[in-house]
Amino acid sequence: MSADLPNDDLSFDEIDELISPRAEETDFDRVVETALSRRGFLGGVMTFGLGSFLVGTTALTRDALADGHADRFGFAQIAANTDDTITVPEGFEWQQVVTWGDPLFADSTSFDEATRGTAATQARAFGDNNDGMSIFTKDGRTVMAINNEYTNRKVLWGNNPDAKWATADDVKKGMNAHGVSIFEVARDDAGNWQVVVDSGLNRRILPETDMDLTGPAAGHDLLKTHADPTGTTTKGTWNNCGNGETPWGTYLTCEENFNGYFSAADEAHEVSAELARYGVSSKDWGYGWASVDDRFDVAKNPNEPNRAGYIVEIDPFDPTSTPKKRTALGRFKHENAAVALAPNGKAVVYLGDDERGEFLYKFVSHGTYSAAGNNSDLLESGDLFVAKFHDDMRGEWLALTPETTGMSDAEIRIHTRQAASSVGATTMDRPEWVAVNPTKAEAYVALTNNKNRGKKPNAGGDDTSANAVNPRVENHYGQIARWMPDDEDHSSHGFSWNLFALAGNPDVHDDAYAGSENINAGNMFNSPDGMAFDSTGLLWIQTDGNYSNEEDFAGMGNNQMLAGDTVTGEIRRFLVGPKECEVTGVCWSPDRRTMFVGIQHPGERGNSHFPDGGKSLPRSGVFAVRRVDGGLIG
Ligand code: FEO
Ligand code: CA
Ligand code: CA
Ligand code: CA
């Protein structure tokens, strides 16, 4: 009874909407009026934004001189292309580090193209569709922690006649392609980074791995199941998208589209409104997990989906440690977790909920960080806020408390979306990664796109009319917004904001869809997604967008990675990925001479043989990029 996937070519959001259709916006006149007035307003937004770009130029010059770069970027922009490979600027080179199915343990077997492995071999190998990643060092050893977000089902099961799962082992192989891969890396004699296959630090974290549920929601009735009547322990993590890392050396993995793995044997089963808000339904997205484990049957275990959708904290240097789901940081489709320290030592974590019209959040710990102390419970308790962006370029973090929401503290952490709706937070154009500038008190969020802006409400029925921070109706291009917390303190309740970039196509459009002034024919892109600052304060932007290279997207080529100078506003294309991939996940070697870049789902529509070429299967992987002269790269 292989589940019928709606359409493997659709994005997660599109599958969600197919299963749970949103009502069309009815007040069409109001939408048009808003769109028109926003177009006028945009001029004001951009004027404000460009004005603020000029602030800090002196500091930029000093920084640029200090790090020895001839200019802020240190590379010449490359052209867009549609090649089935990675392209980097002249003076740079790249090397394959690890790809889907590669062995991580001494008893692992090599990847088998014909069978694509088994559940058992996949559990001992690098997972599929790598996304967020971090690097950690301790006692001279270097460890990478990398999310394996989901699996390319048509490739994983492509050796079956209909490219769908047929056996329980197929389903479990798919399961084991998810989770997190942690392994030691080292340079070989040629200077190339390799996995240390037999390292005792290597670990796969899978959808079956034991975890603790911690924080304000732990033990709540909504988290109790037959298998765990205490509501404090659970199994596994899946659909781990972006990441974060803490100053105390732990890895944060972020559970995003957790809903797509639940189903009910009876497809007529109706889930509760609370689960529907998160896209849980009686149909999964083709993974079949309920066929091998009843906990994914939402009719039998309606509380199981409440145990996913969290930030999970992992000690990357202790393979025997139990990962902790941190309910204090709320439950939604977590993109990444960008950590900053407030001047008073509180840990601040910015969190996006990646779905059309959902929200941007902030967690502020109750405790304070101590370099010499024990910080292991800093994410255990804190205050949760949701962003309100006002049209006058000011904003505020609205507290989610029993007083403001009418919900208990535990309910706020489980039904976080509902809590945010109740306080009137700003519906956003799909918040993907947040990046915190290490050189200045400001943070950036990639708002990847939102074709429903001004057209349909979000999953909670909230109005999604255009607003200043999400200014374009039917936004196919996306934008990057930034905010500057009051008093240069990330724990402040107020902030100023502006738009760093509106992606667009100035060759095709001459209105707001042309993009902001820092977008031109040479650096066009759409759907910013992954985003991180390097140590010099350059903002690296990765895309997961339309790679048709036609019509609205003509001239943009494959998905790519760019760098932005947040002071001048200039954006340059640095890397182009292979066909039908997403570029996602970036981190740097401790000496800053290697940049690790993730390539996810190359050939997701069947048109890539990256990285091995010939007739080989396309495989997601991590690639090391270096300067040929061995110089610094971020
Ligand atoms: Fe997994 Fe929102 O990207
Ligand atoms: Ca993403
Ligand atoms: Ca995306
Ligand atoms: Ca993608």
Side-chain angles (χ1 to χ4, degrees):
M1 47 150 234
S2 178
D4 225 13
L5 187 68
N7 182 336
D8 219 5
D9 288 340
L10 298 178
S11 71
F12 291 141
D13 261 19
E14 286 163 340
I15 297 173
D16 251 3
E17 283 195 42
L18 209 69
I19 293 172
S20 314
R22 311 261 191 282
E24 288 285 343
E25 184 75 62
T26 49
D27 189 357
F28 188 69
D29 288 348
R30 181 172 51 76
V31 173
V32 173
E33 188 186 328
T34 308
L36 291 174
S37 69
R38 288 305 160 218
R39 252 175 235 170
F41 183 71
L42 207 55
V45 172
M46 296 320 299
T47 305
F48 187 95
L50 288 171
S52 69
F53 286 154
L54 299 174
V55 176
T57 305
T58 313
L60 162 70
T61 308
R62 195 172 56 241
D63 285 352
L65 289 172
D67 67 21
H69 288 168
D71 61 32
R72 190 76 179 134
F73 294 92
F75 66 88
Q77 170 161 283
I78 61 169
N81 71 53
T82 56
D83 299 342
D84 194 24
T85 188
I86 291 175
T87 310
V88 291
E90 198 177 330
F92 291 79
E93 59 188 0
W94 61 271
Q95 160 241 324
Q96 186 171 323
V97 180
V98 63
T99 51
W100 164 50
D102 283 350
L104 298 181
F105 303 92
D107 64 356
S108 298
T109 50
S110 296
F111 181 70
D112 183 335
E113 283 249 349
T115 64
R116 295 118 212 252
T118 64
T121 63
Q122 182 63 75
R124 306 293 283 168
F126 187 59
D128 198 3
N129 279 350
N130 46 282
D131 205 304
M133 57 181 164
S134 296
I135 211 159
F136 300 91
T137 54
K138 191 174 171 183
D139 303 330
R141 301 173 81 176
T142 304
V143 161
M144 296 188 79
I146 306 179
N147 294 342
N148 296 112
E149 187 181 27
Y150 66 108
T151 184
N152 290 326
R153 296 172 296 258
K154 284 192 293 197
V155 177
L156 184 88
W157 299 319
N159 53 331
N160 288 342
D162 59 359
K164 292 178 179 172
W165 62 269
T167 66
D169 196 72
D170 286 343
V171 173
K172 289 178 183 168
K173 176 168 71 172
M175 264 187 168
N176 292 344
H178 289 69
V180 182
S181 297
I182 300 176
F183 50 86
E184 187 172 0
V185 288
R187 276 185 163 136
D188 65 16
D189 292 343
N192 289 326
W193 288 94
Q194 306 285 357
V195 176
V196 181
V197 170
D198 53 353
S199 169
L201 296 174
N202 296 359
R203 180 181 196 184
R204 278 302 316 279
I205 291 174
L206 302 169
E208 290 292 309
T209 301
D210 286 335
M211 311 215 158
D212 289 334
L213 285 159
T214 80
H220 190 276
D221 283 350
L222 283 167
L223 300 190
K224 294 176 182 169
T225 62
H226 300 306
D228 169 30
T230 69
T232 58
T233 60
T234 187
K235 280 190 185 298
T237 187
W238 56 91
N239 212 285
N240 305 79
C241 188
N243 66 311
E245 57 226 15
T246 64
W248 51 97
T250 56
Y251 183 66
L252 303 178
T253 185
C254 310
E255 299 179 337
E256 192 187 22
N257 292 288
F258 64 89
N259 57 307
Y261 301 80
F262 294 95
S263 61
D266 172 12
E267 282 198 2
H269 172 78
E270 286 197 19
V271 303
S272 66
E274 288 78 15
L275 290 178
R277 177 68 194 269
Y278 286 87
V280 177
S281 82
S282 62
K283 287 187 206 161
D284 75 2
W285 295 352
Y287 297 105
W289 290 10
S291 71
V292 299
D293 189 342
D294 266 356
R295 75 187 168 111
F296 295 102
D297 186 320
V298 71
K300 293 176 183 158
N301 285 292
N303 280 350
E304 190 65 32
N306 294 332
R307 294 145 64 85
Y310 296 103
I311 299 294
V312 187
E313 186 171 13
I314 299 168
D315 179 349
F317 280 101
D318 182 0
T320 66
S321 61
T322 303
K324 292 178 165 42
K325 294 204 178 191
R326 298 298 192 186
T327 69
L329 280 69
R331 172 172 165 267
F332 41 90
K333 293 186 179 180
H334 277 288
E335 182 68 22
N336 83 329
V339 183
L341 283 180
N344 62 8
K346 292 194 177 209
V348 176
V349 190
Y350 291 112
L351 307 154
D353 182 355
D354 179 12
E355 188 174 306
R356 298 184 182 110
E358 291 297 337
F359 308 114
L360 178 70
Y361 297 85
K362 179 172 84 166
F363 166 89
V364 180
S365 67
H366 287 152
T368 56
Y369 170 72
S370 155
N374 178 357
N375 301 288
S376 61
D377 282 334
L378 218 44
L379 302 184
E380 190 63 6
S381 70
D383 299 321
L384 196 58
F385 302 86
V386 64
K388 180 88 183 173
F389 288 81
H390 297 296
D391 287 358
D392 64 358
M393 325 304 292
R394 286 284 304 160
E396 61 189 306
W397 292 102
L398 306 174
L400 299 176
T401 66
E403 294 69 35
T404 62
T405 65
M407 299 161 70
S408 73
D409 201 26
E411 287 166 346
I412 290 167
R413 315 300 165 133
I414 300 168
H415 295 147
T416 309
R417 286 183 164 181
Q418 291 91 326
S421 287
S422 77
V423 300
T426 302
T427 63
M428 306 296 283
D429 285 348
R430 297 187 52 198
E432 300 255 25
W433 293 43
V434 175
V436 176
N437 190 340
T439 67
K440 189 179 174 190
E442 61 177 15
Y444 291 66
V445 63
L447 300 164
T448 195
N449 57 53
N450 183 0
K451 69 177 184 184
N452 290 350
R453 173 62 61 187
K455 306 295 280 186
K456 293 180 183 179
N458 71 6
D462 299 321
D463 178 86
T464 68
S465 300
N467 53 50
V469 72
N470 305 279
R472 295 177 295 184
V473 167
E474 282 188 74
N475 175 16
H476 292 287
Y477 291 125
Q479 67 267 16
I480 298 170
R482 61 179 164 189
W483 60 95
M484 289 60 70
D486 288 352
D487 305 319
E488 301 188 346
D489 178 348
H490 283 289
S491 69
S492 293
H493 291 189
F495 58 89
S496 302
W497 68 268
N498 59 49
L499 293 172
F500 172 65
L502 276 172
N505 193 326
D507 282 351
V508 174
H509 298 285
D510 57 8
D511 55 11
Y513 299 86
S516 47
E517 289 187 24
N518 50 353
I519 303 300
N520 52 59
N523 70 3
M524 286 189 286
F525 63 93
N526 74 89
S527 306
D529 186 333
M531 213 163 55
F533 276 95
D534 67 22
S535 65
T536 74
L538 263 189
L539 178 64
W540 294 85
I541 303 159
Q542 304 176 312
T543 72
D544 174 25
N546 185 309
Y547 41 71
S548 66
N549 204 33
E550 292 175 347
E551 299 178 348
D552 267 5
F553 308 98
M556 297 183 181
N558 294 345
N559 276 307
Q560 54 187 288
M561 181 168 174
L562 311 99
D565 182 328
T566 60
V567 179
T568 65
E570 184 181 355
I571 296 172
R572 283 189 200 174
R573 184 182 297 111
F574 174 76
L575 177 151
V576 177
K579 286 183 182 294
E580 301 178 357
C581 81
E582 163 183 352
V583 182
T584 185
V586 59
C587 60
W588 287 265
S589 63
D591 66 4
R592 299 268 156 190
R593 293 179 196 279
T594 303
M595 169 195 270
F596 295 93
V597 179
I599 298 294
Q600 193 191 66
H601 65 65
E604 67 174 350
R605 295 179 186 214
N607 299 300
S608 169
H609 299 284
F610 182 82
D612 295 335
K615 293 188 174 175
S616 64
L617 294 176
R619 289 157 79 188
S620 298
V622 175
F623 300 84
V625 182
R626 289 191 302 247
R627 285 183 190 278
V628 174
D629 67 8
L632 297 172
I633 176 171

